[in-house]
């Protein structure tokens, strides 16, 4: 593991090297040129124009007034001037030292282009549903992952954090969950398919495009069923080298206004004694003199920081971009025992080999280190313990004050942990030994995950004649992960302890190579334009896993937590390999007439290996069609109308989701030989075999079909923008384990069991005004989602999903006519005012409350997601605010269990409970009824509104910075995730979970930290 000292030393060395590179050419300069660059139409100065000596790296950029000064060698001949949106201009230097240049607007460049699959396309000609992410906004976010940084600014894309713990990734869903398995989109980074974008540094990102409809994603065939996210990293620009350093440092804290409110000692004693009134054998509780708020005790302030050093530049034929990023974050629960750090290094270069040939290479390496504590576990999670432990014990006992269970632990011979003052950490005296003291859990936390990842792509582009290009693009992804930890002995109670020292090492290696070759041809014939792309792709991936465990350790010390220092009494070894291959052919044809009428057709044929599906199903064809009408380009459209641009578009297409198949050869039978022994004549014993899992020769991947209709509009000279999309997406052949009668005697195979439908509307509305010195704008987005299972191919009424503890079985189910994995439990009709018992609804009318009365009591999928951005600037000051929210979803308080009746609970169940003096209470009396813990009383609204970021910045005047040879300097302060408004009584309304069938179940989720950030951006 890299030390912080080594990282900082490397950054200083990197800085010094870049400094020397930039200044190495200054000794030969002996001629000074100066001048002014103007807009050819308005004669206004142009700041930021690249001024470069042709064929060299000698150059500069114009200042705020369009002026430049440049020292060049005496023999320099040609000066080049280039700027985005303008035509590049060259002029002879000769004997001149003063220049006045007017640049001509390039209408082709001014039109925005977006990245699409295997190419780029003018935004006005896009006929599918795509969204561009504001990458400039991403670079000032304090998020450790790119996915979290996208929250609130990407319509139709929901991002649910798996946890608030540092380094935790998020579930990304484009237009809702389309699979009961893996619903993650396909990530393409500089043309490389990758399983994640969480390891990318936001500062390296040039653009992000989200392909949401089937027509946009169909060119990715069997991997585009859940949408596609295209990430393009930064490339170098011609001209003088530019060095940038971005620094962020902040303090994280818990939002105590939104932390769960648990019972204090007096309330806990009162609540337990009321419950025990109906259980005469229990002794009433009395005050102990302690009153511990465990949730407040475990949270703390924690640091977060990020450093990014980058350099870019280039000559007429070569451009480069290189960067080094370091990110570090400690946890607000557990500190450095729940920490994350990441080192990124990137080098992108492009070389013009000939006028007709370019070669580019993008290389990136990342190392991640993550330490974590047990999270989202209703049995032994750290936050679950903090929520459940009785408040009538302290964090640690004063010497001689230990309770009976702690004394039993001391006498047991098991290790008992102490705090910094030498006091024993407490254990529960109410039989809650499963809830280990959170501070002991922090002591037990050790080891962690280390992941190394390398992505490399090389692209050769050949343009033998006008309009035609051929690209050959090989790429690799190499990924290794080591999950290393050791189990330390502990005592929490007679039924929750361990005296085993055991080392565990889980090692994973993933390698993928891919080679894509594709040709593109663009040709305009009068008013007609045709663009065509055709290509093929071959890829192979290999996943090797080696899991090892050994013990006992000879010494309980982190220095000896390796297999070399353990005994041989308890060793374990397990390994397996997963391989897959795919060959693909794809094509796309686009046509437009006068930039008015656009048609696009796409098709892809994927052929995978028989490791995934049977031979007869290895091939799939995925077509799409889309059309657009630029109404504003029609002759009848008024020229002086308030609407500047109006486009109507529609699309239909199909995609697949091969990664929804969770393993290899699932269609084949599995055999077992254990305990199959037969005695044959002669008393001979033979061993037999039988299928343990039945075969399924019809297994295939999931396929989605989507229809999309959209409108794009700009008005009032581009100040107002509006977009509207309606979609209907049906995913067929969802995978699950089939259910067969018990009489069959075998386990059922994976089977294509059902279809799911997602429908919704997405709206984007923006306004910006840059006419005056005070500039401002607002961008809002809004999306609806209706998720429904429309078909289940199984004789059973539903497919069982997640359980909550030992008592709530089949808490989520997959059933026709309902949302995917809705919460199945008992519906209630209030509280009986006579006795305080919950009133359960008898859904089947048989006069009894049984499992058959369980019904839909909640939906984890939000009906509405929304977000937005407000920005403003005046002179050097700027303000930016990002918002995020959702409505119409529910979450389950899943750590509150019927088998732990003496556990603490929330004031939500206490404040308005039924008592003899409060017979109209909204909550039942303290109850031991197991049905209560499986009812809608535990289902709460997950609606929330969160201000993701509120940032204030100041950019120093350029003239002042030039005096100290600084190109630009901006400082800022930011409040990130600081304000959340919700009514959810648990930890976080976005109850993350790693299991797709347990979305919305809060099993003690790690809290999302709020951050006070300070930042600095400097360029040279």
């Amino acid at each position: 593991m890299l030390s912080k000292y080594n990282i900082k030393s490397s950054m200083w060395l990197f800085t010094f090297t870049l400094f020397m590179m930039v200044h190495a050419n200054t000794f030969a300069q002996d001629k000074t040129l100066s001048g002014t660059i103007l807009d050819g139409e308005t004669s206004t100065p142009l700041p930021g124009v690249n001024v470069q000596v042709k064929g060299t790296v000698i150059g500069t950029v114009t200042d705020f007034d369009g002026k430049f000064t440049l020292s060049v060698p005496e023999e320099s001949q040609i000066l080049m001037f280039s700027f985005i949106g303008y035509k590049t201009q060259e002029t002879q230097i000769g004997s001149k030292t003063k220049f006045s240049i007017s640049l001509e607007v390039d209408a082709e460049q001014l039109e925005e282009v977006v990245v699409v699959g295997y190419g780029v396309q003018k935004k006005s000609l896009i006929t599918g549903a795509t969204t561009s992410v504001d990458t400039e906004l991403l670079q000032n976010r304090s998020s450790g992952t790119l996915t979290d940084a996208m929250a609130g600014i990407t319509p139709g894309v929901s991002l649910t954090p798996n946890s608030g713990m540092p380094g935790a990734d998020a579930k990304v869903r484009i237009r809702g969950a389309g699979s009961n398995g893996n619903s993650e989109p396909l990530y393409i980074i500089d043309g490389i398919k990758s399983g994640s974008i969480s390891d990318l540094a936001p500062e390296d990102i040039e653009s992000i495009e989200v392909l949401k409809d089937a027509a946009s994603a169909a060119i990715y065939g069997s991997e585009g069923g859940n949408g596609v996210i295209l990430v393009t990293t930064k490339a170098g620009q011609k001209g003088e080298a530019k060095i940038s350093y971005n620094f962020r440092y902040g303090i994280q804290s818990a939002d105590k206004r939104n932390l769960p409110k648990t019972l204090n000692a007096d309330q806990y004693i009162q609540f337990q004694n009321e419950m025990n009134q109906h259980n005469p054998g229990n002794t009433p509780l009395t005050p102990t003199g302690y009153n511990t708020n465990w949730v407040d005790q475990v949270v703390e302030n924690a640091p977060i920081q990020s450093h990014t050093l980058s350099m870019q530049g280039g000559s007429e034929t070569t451009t480069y971009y290189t960067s080094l990023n370091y990110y570090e974050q400690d946890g607000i629960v557990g500190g450095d025992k729940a920490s994350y750090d990441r080192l990124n290094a990137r080098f992108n270069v492009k070389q013009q080999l000939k006028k007709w040939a370019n070669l580019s290479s993008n290389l990136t390496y990342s190392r991640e280190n993550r330490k974590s504590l047990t999270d989202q576990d209703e049995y032994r999670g750290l936050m679950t313990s903090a929520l459940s432990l009785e408040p009538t014990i302290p964090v640690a006992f004063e010497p001689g004050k230990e309770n009976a269970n702690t004394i039993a632990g001391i006498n047991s011979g098991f290790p008992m942990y102490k705090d910094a003052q030498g006091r024993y950490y407490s254990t529960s005296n109410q039989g809650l030994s499963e809830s280990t003291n959170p501070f002991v859990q922090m002591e037990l936390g050790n080891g962690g995950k280390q992941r190394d990842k390398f992505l490399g792509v090389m692209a050769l582009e050949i343009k033998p004649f006008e309009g035609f290009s051929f690209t050959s693009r090989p790429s690799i992804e190499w990924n290794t992960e080591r999950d290393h930890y050791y189990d330390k002995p502990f005592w929490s109670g007679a039924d929750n302890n361990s005296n085993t020292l055991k080392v565990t090492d889980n090692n994973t290696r993933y390698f993928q190579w891919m080679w894509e070759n594709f040709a593109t041809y663009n040709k305009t014939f009068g008013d007609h334009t045709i663009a065509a792309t055709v290509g093929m792709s071959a890829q192979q991936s290999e996943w090797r896993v080696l899991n090892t465990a050994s013990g006992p350790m000879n010494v309980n010390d982190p220095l000896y937590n390796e297999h070399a220092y353990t005994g041989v009494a308890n060793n374990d070894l397990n390994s397996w390999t997963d391989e897959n291959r795919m060959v693909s052919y794809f094509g796309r044809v686009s046509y437009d007439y006068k930039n008015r009428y656009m048609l696009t057709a796409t098709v892809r044929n994927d052929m995978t290996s028989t490791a995934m599906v049977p031979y007869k199903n290895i091939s799939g064809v995925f077509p799409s069609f889309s059309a657009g009408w630029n109404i504003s380009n029609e002759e009848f459209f008024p020229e002086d109308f308030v609407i500047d641009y109006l486009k109507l578009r529609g699309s239909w297409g199909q995609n697949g989701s091969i990664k929804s198949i969770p393993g290899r050869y699932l269609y084949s039978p599995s055999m077992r030989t254990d305990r199959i022994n037969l005695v044959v004549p002669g008393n001979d014993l033979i061993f037999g075999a039988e299928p343990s899992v039945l075969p399924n020769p019809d297994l295939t991947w999931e396929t989605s079909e989507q229809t999309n209709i959209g409108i794009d509009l700009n008005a009032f000279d581009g100040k107002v923008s509006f977009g509207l999309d309606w979609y209907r997406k049906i995913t067929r052949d969802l995978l699950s384990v089939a259910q067969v009668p018990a009489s069959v005697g075998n386990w059922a195979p994976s089977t294509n069991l059902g279809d799911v439908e997602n429908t919704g509307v997405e709206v984007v509305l923006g306004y910006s005004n840059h006419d005056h010195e005070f500039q401002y704008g607002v961008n809002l987005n809004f999306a609806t989602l209706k998720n429904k299972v429309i078909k289940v191919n199984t004789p059973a009424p539903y497919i069982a999903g997640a359980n909550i503890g030992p008592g709530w079985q089949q808490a989520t189910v997959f059933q026709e006519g309902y949302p995917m994995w809705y919460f199945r439990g008992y519906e209630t009709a209030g509280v009986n005012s006579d006795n305080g018992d919950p009133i359960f609804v008898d859904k089947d009318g048989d006069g009894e409350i049984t499992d058959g009365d369980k019904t839909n009591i909640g939906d984890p999928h939000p009906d509405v997601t929304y977000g937005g951005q407000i920005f403003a600037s005046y002179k050097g000051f700027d303000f930016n605010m990002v918002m995020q929210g959702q409505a119409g979803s529910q979450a389950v308080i899943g750590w509150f269990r019927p088998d732990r009746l003496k556990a603490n609970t929330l004031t939500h169940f206490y404040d308005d409970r039924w008592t003899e003096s409060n017979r109209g209470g909204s909550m039942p009396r303290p109850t031991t009824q197991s049905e209560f813990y499986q009812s809608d009383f535990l289902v709460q609204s997950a609606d929330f509104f969160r201000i993701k970021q509120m940032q204030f910045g100041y950019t120093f005047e350029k003239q002042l910075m030039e005096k100290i040879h600084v190109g630009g300097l901006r400082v800022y302060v930011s409040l990130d995730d600081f304000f959340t408004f919700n009514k959810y009584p648990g930890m976080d309304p976005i109850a993350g979970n790693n299991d797709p069938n347990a979305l919305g179940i809060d099993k003690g989720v790690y809290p999302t930290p709020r951050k006070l950030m300070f930042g600095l951006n400097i360029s040279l």
Side-chain angles (χ1 to χ4, degrees):
M1 177 177 177
L2 290 176
S3 68
K4 298 177 185 178
Y5 174 81
N6 288 336
I7 291 170
K8 292 179 180 177
S9 300
S10 299
M11 294 182 68
W12 280 113
L13 178 60
F14 190 61
T15 305
F16 177 77
T17 303
L18 295 182
F19 180 84
M20 295 302 296
M21 290 173 59
V22 172
H23 290 82
N25 63 350
T26 60
F27 300 102
Q29 298 172 354
D30 55 7
K31 182 177 180 179
T32 302
L33 309 179
S34 62
T36 304
I37 314 299
L38 304 175
D39 182 294
E41 294 182 359
T42 64
S43 297
T44 56
L46 289 176
V49 176
N50 284 311
V51 182
Q52 184 179 2
V53 177
K54 187 174 182 179
T56 73
V57 295
I58 302 170
T60 186
V61 294
T62 57
D63 62 16
F64 185 78
D65 297 317
K67 298 182 181 298
F68 74 92
T69 301
L70 179 65
S71 295
V72 303
E74 186 68 36
E75 64 272 15
S76 301
Q77 297 180 0
I78 298 176
L79 210 55
M80 297 175 55
F81 306 91
S82 60
F83 193 50
I84 296 175
Y86 293 80
K87 294 181 179 179
T88 299
Q89 187 171 325
E90 298 181 1
T91 186
Q92 292 288 335
I93 297 176
S95 60
K96 293 191 298 183
T97 58
K98 301 284 186 180
F99 298 84
S100 180
I101 304 296
S102 295
L103 293 185
E104 182 182 349
V105 173
D106 189 335
E108 289 292 322
Q109 281 195 44
L110 280 178
E111 180 162 4
E112 183 180 357
V113 295
V114 297
V115 178
V116 295
Y118 302 99
V120 296
Q121 197 170 7
K122 293 180 181 179
K123 191 170 185 178
S124 63
L125 299 180
I126 293 289
T127 52
T130 67
T131 295
S132 299
V133 179
D134 186 348
T135 52
E136 185 176 338
L137 180 62
L138 293 180
Q139 297 182 18
N140 288 325
R141 299 288 288 272
S142 60
S143 304
T145 62
L146 192 59
T147 48
D148 183 57
M150 293 168 58
I153 58 176
T154 317
V157 181
S158 65
L159 299 108
T160 305
N162 291 329
S163 169
M165 198 175 298
D169 206 351
K171 280 188 174 61
V172 180
R173 299 291 181 264
I174 298 176
R175 294 183 165 179
S179 172
N180 59 338
N182 191 333
S183 291
E184 289 292 304
L186 173 65
Y187 298 106
I188 305 290
I189 305 170
D190 292 332
I192 311 172
K193 294 178 183 178
S194 182
S196 173
I197 57 175
S198 63
D199 48 74
L200 295 178
E203 291 86 352
D204 286 339
I205 306 305
E206 179 67 31
S207 69
I208 299 178
E209 303 294 334
V210 182
L211 312 183
K212 297 188 287 188
D213 68 331
S216 301
I219 202 163
Y220 292 105
S222 64
E223 298 177 289
N226 297 316
V228 182
I229 295 181
L230 304 176
V231 179
T232 304
T233 60
K234 290 180 178 179
Q237 302 294 328
K238 296 178 181 180
E240 184 181 15
K242 300 177 184 178
I243 301 175
S244 299
Y245 172 64
N246 296 337
F247 164 75
R248 295 195 302 268
Y249 182 84
I251 298 296
Q252 306 168 96
S253 61
D255 185 357
K256 294 196 173 183
R257 298 167 305 169
N258 285 314
L259 287 178
K261 296 175 176 58
T262 54
L263 305 187
N264 61 32
D266 291 339
Q267 293 170 330
Y268 173 78
I269 291 171
Q270 179 68 27
F271 192 85
Q272 287 294 317
N273 288 340
E274 289 180 15
M275 184 185 298
N276 291 336
Q277 289 177 1
H278 304 278
N279 298 283
N282 290 313
T283 303
L285 298 184
T286 57
T288 62
Y290 300 112
N291 185 18
T292 302
N293 186 319
W294 287 97
V295 175
D296 283 350
Q297 289 291 327
V298 298
V299 296
E300 58 181 298
N301 292 344
I304 179 175
Q305 62 176 315
S306 174
H307 306 264
T308 303
L309 182 65
S310 64
M311 186 178 79
Q312 61 175 317
S315 65
E316 184 181 353
T317 58
T318 305
T319 59
Y320 61 91
Y321 172 85
T322 184
S323 69
L324 187 68
N325 169 268
Y326 178 67
Y327 176 90
E328 182 182 70
Q329 181 183 9
D330 283 354
I332 61 170
V333 176
D336 61 0
K337 290 293 186 72
S339 61
Y340 173 79
D341 65 76
R342 183 188 66 234
L343 177 69
N344 293 81
R346 173 170 293 279
F347 183 69
N348 296 348
V349 63
K350 184 175 183 179
Q351 174 72 42
Q352 182 177 338
L353 304 175
K354 301 289 183 180
K355 289 185 178 180
W356 46 267
N358 295 315
L359 181 66
S360 63
S361 177
N362 290 8
L363 307 174
T364 180
Y365 166 78
S366 65
R367 165 165 284 194
E368 298 174 275
N369 294 290
R370 186 184 180 198
K371 297 179 181 179
S372 59
L373 300 168
T374 305
D375 184 31
Q376 274 289 39
D377 185 342
E378 71 270 45
Y379 292 97
R380 291 179 172 86
L382 187 147
M383 294 310 304
T384 299
S385 295
L387 292 162
S388 303
L389 273 173
E390 68 263 35
T392 53
I393 56 174
V395 172
F397 287 109
E398 293 295 334
K401 301 291 186 180
E402 295 85 3
N403 62 12
N405 191 54
T406 305
I407 293 172
I410 297 171
N411 295 331
S412 69
F414 285 77
M416 296 293 290
Y417 295 93
K418 300 179 181 181
D419 67 7
Q421 286 75 44
R423 302 174 300 180
Y424 284 110
Y425 285 118
S426 64
T427 61
S428 173
N429 221 31
Q430 295 296 319
L432 301 174
S433 61
E434 199 174 68
S435 298
T436 304
N437 188 312
F439 293 91
V440 172
Q441 293 194 48
M442 295 179 197
E443 290 284 343
L444 298 176
N446 60 83
K449 291 184 179 181
Q450 182 179 88
R451 184 170 71 162
D452 293 280
K453 182 177 180 180
F454 175 80
L455 292 175
V457 59
M458 182 178 294
L460 175 64
E461 183 182 26
I462 300 173
K463 299 180 179 179
F465 54 88
E466 184 179 357
F468 178 84
S469 68
F470 171 79
T471 302
S472 183
R473 188 168 65 192
S475 64
I476 63 170
E477 176 181 355
W478 173 81
N479 194 330
T480 64
E481 183 175 298
R482 183 192 188 200
D483 187 0
H484 177 82
Y485 60 93
Y486 74 99
D487 297 321
K488 298 170 68 174
F490 74 98
W491 166 280
S492 184
D495 57 350
N496 184 20
N497 56 72
S498 173
N499 203 19
T500 301
L501 276 166
K502 185 177 181 180
V503 177
T504 300
D505 243 327
N506 297 329
N507 295 275
T508 303
R509 192 194 77 177
Y510 176 81
F511 179 79
Q512 172 189 271
W513 67 262
M514 182 170 63
W515 194 353
E516 297 177 307
N517 296 277
F518 55 95
T520 300
Y521 182 67
N522 293 274
K523 185 66 175 178
T524 298
F525 307 90
D527 295 330
H528 308 270
T529 300
I530 294 178
T533 298
V534 62
M536 67 85 62
S537 172
Q539 67 185 75
Q540 179 176 335
S541 60
E542 180 184 80
W543 195 0
R544 293 184 178 273
V545 177
L546 174 63
N547 298 330
T548 60
S550 67
M553 293 171 57
N554 294 321
V555 182
N556 184 5
D557 191 303
L559 294 175
Y560 299 95
N561 66 340
E562 298 288 347
H563 293 310
Y565 303 109
T566 63
V568 295
N570 187 13
N571 294 344
D572 191 18
L573 176 66
N574 179 37
S575 67
W576 54 274
T577 301
D578 190 3
E579 294 182 353
N580 189 37
R581 299 177 180 88
M582 182 180 291
V583 176
S584 308
Y585 301 91
F586 53 87
R588 177 176 58 220
V589 177
S590 300
Y591 166 81
D592 83 87
Y593 173 73
K594 287 188 174 182
N595 201 9
R596 295 179 187 171
Y597 314 111
M598 295 84 70
L599 296 172
T600 300
T602 302
V603 65
R604 181 169 177 131
N605 174 214
D606 284 332
M607 290 175 285
T608 187
S609 64
T610 55
M612 304 300 291
V613 292
Y615 180 78
K616 67 178 183 180
N617 291 332
I618 63 171
S619 179
V621 178
F622 305 93
S624 76
F625 305 94
S626 59
W629 179 24
N630 277 327
I631 303 173
S632 52
N633 287 344
E634 293 284 1
E635 294 182 357
F636 62 77
F637 198 84
E639 292 186 5
D640 298 326
F641 195 43
V642 294
I643 296 177
D644 314 317
Y645 173 74
L646 179 62
K647 179 171 70 176
L648 177 66
R649 49 187 168 76
S651 67
W652 172 91
Q654 292 181 337
N655 307 103
S657 182
I658 193 171
K659 63 184 176 184
S660 63
I661 301 176
R664 304 173 71 229
Y665 298 106
L666 296 180
Y667 60 90
S668 299
S670 297
M671 305 298 291
R672 73 181 186 92
T673 59
D674 56 305
R675 294 190 299 275
I676 303 178
N677 306 319
L678 300 175
V679 178
V680 297
N683 292 323
D684 292 328
L685 181 66
I686 64 171
F687 301 97
E690 68 175 10
S692 59
V693 178
L694 297 175
N696 177 16
D698 298 318
L699 185 72
T700 187
W701 50 47
E702 298 173 356
T703 300
S704 65
E705 180 178 309
Q706 188 173 175
T707 303
N708 190 97
I709 299 174
I711 298 174
D712 299 318
L713 180 150
N714 292 337
F716 299 102
D717 295 326
K719 290 184 174 65
V720 174
S721 60
F722 173 78
L724 172 67
D725 279 274
W726 171 88
Y727 66 90
R728 181 174 184 258
K729 177 181 178 181
I730 297 177
T731 305
R732 308 184 193 280
D733 297 325
L734 270 70
L735 284 164
S736 186
V737 176
Q739 296 178 344
V740 296
S743 59
V744 173
N746 309 98
W747 293 104
S750 293
T751 309
N752 301 102
L753 287 181
D755 302 345
V756 170
E757 178 186 68
N758 286 332
T759 58
V761 174
E762 298 166 355
V763 179
V764 179
L765 178 64
Y767 177 80
S768 61
N769 191 320
H770 299 275
D771 292 346
H772 307 286
E773 200 166 19
F774 176 67
Q775 302 177 358
Y776 59 95
V778 58
N779 296 310
L780 303 174
N781 64 80
F782 171 91
T784 67
L785 172 66
K786 183 178 181 181
N787 173 275
K788 184 172 68 173
V789 178
I790 58 176
K791 184 179 180 181
V792 177
N793 299 324
T794 175
Y798 55 77
I799 300 171
N803 301 325
I804 301 178
W808 194 348
Q809 301 296 299
Q810 302 176 359
T812 65
V813 298
F814 185 89
Q815 185 174 5
E816 185 173 330
Y818 294 91
M820 287 178 58
W821 306 119
Y822 72 86
F823 306 132
R824 180 177 178 270
Y826 295 107
E827 180 183 336
T828 62
V831 178
N832 188 321
S833 60
D834 294 329
N835 58 19
D837 287 340
I839 302 173
F840 299 105
V841 178
D842 183 10
K843 300 296 289 188
D844 60 11
D846 65 355
E848 297 180 354
I849 300 301
T850 63
D851 189 77
D853 295 308
K854 288 184 177 179
T855 186
N856 179 10
I857 58 174
D859 177 8
H861 309 285
D863 297 329
V864 175
T865 56
Y866 57 92
Q869 174 195 10
I870 298 173
F871 59 91
S873 64
Y874 177 70
K875 295 187 176 180
F877 296 95
D878 63 83
F879 168 77
N880 190 73
M881 185 168 72
V882 179
M883 304 157 287
Q884 176 197 16
Q886 69 179 33
S889 65
Q890 291 79 44
V892 175
I893 303 174
W895 50 268
F896 194 32
R897 290 167 30 197
D899 61 320
R900 297 199 300 184
L901 298 176
K902 293 187 178 181
N904 202 358
T905 189
L906 301 170
T907 57
H908 173 79
F909 298 106
Y910 177 88
D911 290 339
D912 193 32
R913 72 194 186 286
W914 182 95
T915 61
E916 291 290 348
S917 58
N918 183 33
R919 291 179 172 269
S922 60
M923 288 291 159
R925 63 178 175 83
T927 179
T928 60
Q929 289 179 281
S930 62
E931 291 83 2
F932 168 79
Y933 298 90
Q934 305 173 58
S935 74
D936 53 14
F937 278 113
L938 272 67
V939 178
Q940 303 295 319
S941 170
D943 298 353
F944 75 93
F945 171 71
R946 176 173 289 165
I947 298 179
K948 291 289 294 180
Q949 182 181 68
M950 186 180 294
Q951 186 177 108
F952 303 86
Y954 179 74
T955 302
F956 289 85
E957 292 185 3
K958 192 173 183 65
Q959 294 87 339
L960 175 63
M961 293 296 98
E962 287 179 344
K963 294 179 180 179
I964 57 174
H965 305 288
V966 173
L969 176 62
R970 177 177 179 266
V971 295
Y972 62 88
V973 60
S974 183
L975 302 176
D976 293 2
D977 293 318
F978 229 78
F979 306 100
T980 301
F981 305 93
N982 71 98
K983 295 182 179 179
Y984 179 64
M987 189 67 70
D988 196 318
I990 309 181
N993 203 297
N994 288 323
D995 297 326
N997 62 5
L999 185 67
I1001 299 179
D1002 180 359
K1003 297 183 178 182
V1005 66
Y1006 192 101
T1008 299
R1010 59 181 189 175
K1011 311 171 190 74
L1012 172 61
M1013 302 296 301
F1014 302 91
L1016 175 148
N1017 303 331
I1018 185 170
S1019 61
L1020 302 175

